[in-house]
Amino acid sequence: MLTIGRIDYANVTPLFHALKAHFPCDGYRFTAGVPARLNAMLAAEEIDVCPSSSIEYAIHSERYLILPDLSISSVGPVASVLLFSRVPIEELDGKEVLLSAESATSVNLLRILLGKCFGQSCRYTVSSSPLTEALRTAPAMLLIGDAALRSSMSETGLRIYDLGSLWYEWTGLPFVFALWFCTRAAVRERYQEVRLLADQLVQAKGYADQEREFIADAVPEMAWMGREGLIRYWRENISYELGGAQQEGLRLFYRYAAELGLIPHAPELHFFK
């Protein structure tokens, strides 16, 4: 039985909902968690397949294969990876920036944007404090996922910078926040099961695109995002594609991360076939 990691964020809800609605999933075991926890479980081979932080592939590319035609990405604003700041982003040089502990990809994207795009040298500290409390001691904090969405819906008086927008304005390319990949051990031991799941996920991607309105009515995120807000987020901010432009953006991200010493080297992309 394949064990599948499920990110507990609204950005991936449509895909999992469509998978369960259109395909028999009694042969799969689902394990929920935030990206950092699922990354660790995937590295330890406690789960077999997962939509996982794209930086995790760069760190352990020898352990994984990427499932084709699938990602969690954005072409411009992503709406759920946000830097909240009391000062303009141009004034953060030399200051402390607080980071979410939930996703290494977004953390490294912020380091690249501040370091290479804005030419700034900041001090970075991981924090689990609520936004209002955290910004009493530091001028800026990165939030991701549902926490970012919720905070952006509140009137905070803060400057809010969307990292998907900043990347797109700088590079002209999509940004790939997460890839679907599987462990090489799972491919060796359960190749046919991985192949079936990969096919089902690509089909589920199509269903998710067609059925946003129906999915919004059935999921708990509607209670706090509102039906139209949730549908708009899925339609305008989140993409599940992994075409040529996404792959080019991913390679550029890896190149910049390697140049800053955030990863050992920029890896080749090896796909499950």
Side-chain angles (χ1 to χ4, degrees):
M1 176 180 288
L2 282 180
T3 301
I4 303 170
R6 172 172 178 163
I7 300 174
D8 282 335
Y9 291 161
N11 60 11
V12 77
T13 294
L15 194 59
F16 277 103
H17 189 279
L19 177 69
K20 291 185 175 182
H22 291 278
F23 300 98
C25 292
D26 51 352
Y28 305 138
R29 181 186 300 113
F30 293 92
T31 299
V34 298
R37 175 174 178 266
L38 294 176
N39 289 350
M41 294 182 71
L42 198 66
E45 297 183 358
E46 296 172 5
I47 55 178
D48 301 308
V49 183
C50 187
S52 192
S53 301
S54 55
I55 201 73
E56 175 68 13
Y57 178 81
I59 297 169
H60 297 299
S61 59
E62 77 285 352
R63 300 182 184 180
Y64 307 124
L65 292 174
I66 302 168
L67 299 189
D69 302 321
L70 293 163
S71 76
I72 301 174
S73 57
S74 73
V75 185
V78 67
S80 50
V81 181
L82 305 174
L83 180 70
F84 294 82
S85 181
R86 291 191 279 107
V87 302
I89 194 169
E90 296 83 2
E91 297 178 11
L92 288 175
D93 191 32
K95 295 183 172 62
E96 183 180 29
V97 176
L98 302 180
L99 304 172
S100 164
E102 295 185 5
S103 172
T105 292
S106 300
V107 164
N108 285 302
L109 172 58
L110 179 63
R111 288 174 180 265
I112 289 169
L113 288 169
L114 290 178
K116 283 189 164 289
C117 180
F118 291 95
Q120 298 184 354
S121 178
C122 299
R123 292 176 288 112
Y124 298 97
T125 305
V126 175
S127 173
S128 58
S129 299
L131 180 64
T132 303
E133 178 183 330
L135 292 187
R136 290 177 186 149
T137 59
M141 184 176 191
L142 174 69
L143 293 180
I144 69 166
D146 293 1
L149 287 168
R150 288 177 183 270
S151 295
S152 68
M153 295 165 63
S154 304
E155 180 55 54
T156 61
L158 299 169
R159 292 171 170 85
I160 302 176
Y161 297 94
D162 187 305
L163 269 59
S165 288
L166 293 177
W167 172 266
Y168 187 73
E169 290 164 6
W170 182 39
T171 67
L173 292 168
F175 188 82
V176 178
F177 291 91
L179 296 162
W180 276 84
F181 44 88
C182 56
T183 65
R184 291 178 183 256
V187 174
R188 289 193 303 269
E189 297 164 11
R190 292 183 289 280
Y191 171 82
Q192 292 297 342
E193 293 176 66
V194 175
R195 179 179 175 180
L196 177 62
L197 175 62
D199 289 342
Q200 291 173 344
L201 285 169
V202 171
Q203 294 179 67
K205 179 177 70 172
Y207 287 124
D209 185 55
Q210 298 164 16
E211 299 172 357
R212 292 189 190 101
E213 291 79 5
F214 301 106
I215 295 171
D217 290 332
V219 298
E221 290 90 344
M222 190 183 73
W224 56 271
M225 283 193 72
R227 185 175 189 272
E228 294 308 313
L230 191 54
I231 293 169
R232 184 169 57 253
Y233 171 60
W234 291 335
R235 182 180 63 242
E236 298 178 4
N237 302 116
I238 299 301
S239 170
Y240 296 140
E241 300 302 320
L242 188 58
Q246 283 82 9
Q247 292 178 41
E248 186 179 351
L250 185 62
R251 290 188 177 95
L252 183 61
F253 170 56
Y254 287 157
R255 193 184 93 200
Y256 286 157
E259 288 174 359
L260 290 179
L262 304 175
I263 56 175
H265 60 86
E268 294 295 322
L269 304 183
H270 296 290
F271 290 89
F272 172 77
K273 298 180 181 179

